[in-house]
Amino acid sequence: MKRHVTKNFVKAMFACFMLTLSMVAIPVYATAQPDAGSVAPCRLVTADVLDTYKSFSTANHPSENIDCFDQTYKRLSFKTSYSRTGQTILYTGAALSPRGNGMPGFETKYQCTYRTW
């Protein structure tokens, strides 16, 4: 009988030890931070923004000028926000009005630049 009680006592103590260990080890393991060399996952936000556009201008008939047409868009990814910082001229050349009325002038194509943070 004494041997049976001792055996059950050892089992009970081992169970209590394992319970205590699991209560201490599991929360620490679950909240462990990544190693210094690893990269934490980051969620990015996306937005469709103006990529390129064209303008048409004529010196003889300013009412025929067109500030923005033939736009293309691109998807921009960022963490917090973005801002348009300007545009770069890709080309300028002689052209006829995109309105189809045969008005001669100059067409300029621009590409927009952005800053993200």
Side-chain angles (χ1 to χ4, degrees), residues 4-31:
H4 182 66
V5 171
T6 305
K7 191 175 181 184
N8 285 338
F9 178 75
V10 170
K11 285 181 183 178
M13 289 302 290
F14 182 75
C16 288
F17 174 74
M18 291 304 292
L19 179 64
T20 305
L21 182 64
S22 68
M23 291 174 66
V24 171
I26 290 175
V28 170
Y29 179 77
T31 60

Side-chain angles (χ1 to χ4, degrees), residues 83-103:
S83 66
R84 184 171 157 183
T85 57
Q87 62 273 347
T88 304
I89 296 175
L90 298 178
Y91 69 79
T92 299
L96 297 177
S97 173
R99 292 186 176 143
N101 57 13
M103 181 72 59

Side-chain angles (χ1 to χ4, degrees), residues 46-57:
T46 60
D48 290 333
V49 297
L50 184 62
D51 184 26
T52 63
Y53 67 96
K54 294 177 183 176
S55 69
F56 177 80
S57 61

